[in-house]
Amino acid sequence: MVDLQIIQDNLPAFLDGARVTLLLLLASAAAGLSLSLPLAVARVSANPFLSKPVFLFTYVLRGTPLLVQLFMVYFGLAQFDLVRESSLWPLLREPWFCAWIAFTLNTAAYTTEMLAGALRATPSGEVEAARSLGMTGFDIYTRILIPGAIRRALPQYGNELVMLMHATSIASAVTLVEITRVARDVHANTLLAVEAFGTAALFYLALTLCITGLFRLLERRLLRHLAHPAGAS
Amino acid sequence: MPMLIEYLPILLDGLLTTLSVSLVSLAIASLFGLAGALAKLSSGRGARAVAGTYTTLIRSIPDLVLMLALFYGGQALVNDIGLRLGWDYIDVDPFLAGSLTLGFIYGAYLTETFRGAFLSIPKGQAEAGLAYGMSGVQVLCHITLPQMIRHAIPGFANNWLVMVKASALVSIIGLDDMVHRASLATAATAQPFTFYAAVAAIYLVVTTVSILALGQVEKRFSLGVRKAVL
């Protein structure tokens, strides 16, 4: 029923696609995380000139579909002569660069809100203790608030990474040859939907299990102080 | 800008497709979610295993891949059966396929939402119903289901927002939704940014209205529940 020969023949293409998927995931996650940390600090700031613009950014990016955001970058920017004449145009013409920009901004928006929530959840006693020890605002952030927030946000961030990995499948809509594009090409050539998309699904399943497994290890290490004494769960 | 005004009715017509796909999917997802939650909470081992596999598998695979698999796979299956029964070639309606697929996918997420909501109802409620001689179905319809709704609304609202945005993917399987309309307008006017930005703005209006409306619904269902004052 399932044509294993087709799967075997296309396995190298799927592996290449998996490499593109992983590269997109890692590049977007790294850039998105670096962006989101300062943004989260600005988001929880008491100064509305800092927090409101960040809220607007996360609200717009979380309220619109990623596919549309990607189209705005990849197809949309070419509308402006200014962009087409700029020195960045050779990059902005590239699908992988546009996908990277779109995914980075999108994950940055979700991660910012997540980190901001974790920052807000800091027990007030921790900040008071730091203050009474004479720490200044900067020290309190780098030594108390941010390390604590990262720990609290860790399980959620694992979910975000899985979501982001799944979202990279949308890059297939702008000609990027990642796992989903390979599957669509195999399907177009053979008309075997189960073989083409089933293989892609298995790849994604494996990647999902890798990410969740990795985060389980990370959590065990970073959240050791929260583990149940008997080692349960 | 004048181009946008000229094409706006066409985009808004696409919005109708987007909204109807989303609403039909939501209805289907709610059915799958309810069935999944009841299966996961049931004592039957088989039902629990099926529901567990459903939620884990669906949530590990991207929406787009599932959508393509179910759309093309479903089309092949229908025609495979059709061939044997001597039917003509059947084109699966993308609206039906899109809504069914989205509903099937988000049913897995709603399963978890509903399961959590059922679990937050004190056990004594159902036990009291049974003690009065109600049947299992009666307990479900008169006691647990009505109370579960209040707990499910936040997760339900979240899933609705994600699903509205995911409905943009149906343009890839050839449904004539707002995103597809925008790409047609783009081809005719060479103003891609204007049209995709307009579509993004319309989505933003839909999500904002949804957030406000569902906030009201939550308030309505939480009447008579006192909030803890910190």
Side-chain angles (χ1 to χ4, degrees), chain B:
Chain B
M1 214 48 182
M3 287 285 198
L4 181 59
I5 293 166
E6 203 177 308
Y7 275 91
L8 200 58
I10 297 176
L11 282 189
L12 289 176
D13 197 43
L15 174 64
L16 278 184
T17 310
T18 295
L19 285 179
S20 29
V21 169
S22 307
L23 282 170
V24 172
S25 312
L26 186 70
I28 297 170
S30 301
L31 288 180
F32 273 111
L34 211 53
L38 291 175
K40 274 202 159 185
L41 294 170
S42 81
S43 48
R45 210 175 265 188
R48 277 210 310 259
V50 170
T53 317
Y54 167 53
T55 55
T56 325
L57 214 56
I58 296 287
R59 293 189 302 162
S60 311
I61 298 166
D63 298 355
L64 181 58
V65 175
L66 282 169
M67 199 178 277
L68 293 168
L70 292 175
F71 179 62
Y72 290 119
Q75 179 129 354
L77 187 71
V78 167
N79 281 302
D80 227 31
I81 298 170
L83 200 66
R84 265 167 227 172
L85 297 178
W87 297 340
D88 282 335
Y89 185 81
I90 300 165
D91 250 331
V92 173
D93 179 33
F95 182 90
L96 196 70
S99 323
L100 266 176
T101 319
L102 273 178
F104 185 65
I105 296 169
Y106 283 88
Y109 292 88
L110 279 180
T111 295
E112 294 303 324
T113 303
F114 289 154
R115 193 181 70 97
F118 272 121
L119 282 177
S120 52
I121 300 166
K123 228 180 162 178
Q125 296 277 339
E127 282 168 1
L130 291 175
Y132 272 107
M134 283 179 154
S135 69
V137 177
Q138 278 177 318
V139 168
L140 178 70
C141 293
H142 295 292
I143 297 180
T144 42
L145 199 59
Q147 294 191 75
M148 172 279 269
I149 293 174
R150 180 170 70 84
H151 298 289
I153 288 174
F156 189 77
N158 234 343
N159 274 308
W160 161 250
L161 294 175
V162 179
M163 213 169 67
V164 171
K165 286 181 279 165
S167 78
L169 295 179
V170 293
S171 62
I172 294 180
I173 59 168
L175 201 61
D176 191 22
D177 77 327
M178 200 161 43
V179 179
H180 187 243
R181 293 284 172 98
S183 57
L184 292 181
T186 288
T189 62
Q191 292 183 346
F193 193 85
T194 312
F195 283 102
Y196 288 123
V199 167
I202 297 173
Y203 269 109
L204 206 57
V205 171
V206 173
T207 42
T208 304
V209 169
S210 306
I211 290 170
L212 294 175
L214 286 158
Q216 285 303 313
V217 173
E218 193 183 353
K219 222 183 251 170
R220 179 81 186 75
F221 272 93
S222 301
L223 283 178
V225 181
R226 240 184 307 166
K227 263 218 172 105
V229 182
L230 295 171

Side-chain angles (χ1 to χ4, degrees), chain A residues 59-60 62-65 67-68 71-72 75-76 79-80 110 166 169-170 172 180 184 187 193 197 201 204-205 208, chain B residues 59-62 64-65 68-69 72-73 165 168-169 171-172 179 191-194 196-197 200 203-204 207-208 211:
Chain A
Y59 190 77
V60 169
R62 291 181 309 141
T64 52
L67 182 70
V68 178
F71 282 179
M72 277 172 81
F75 297 118
Q79 183 177 332
F80 305 107
Y110 283 96
H166 289 177
S169 66
I170 288 175
S172 64
T180 308
R184 286 171 74 176
H187 175 254
F197 297 114
Y204 283 112
L205 191 67
T208 305
Chain B
R59 293 189 302 162
S60 311
I61 298 166
L64 181 58
V65 175
L68 293 168
Y72 290 119
K165 286 181 279 165
L169 295 179
S171 62
I172 294 180
V179 179
Q191 292 183 346
F193 193 85
T194 312
Y196 288 123
Y203 269 109
L204 206 57
T207 42
T208 304
I211 290 170

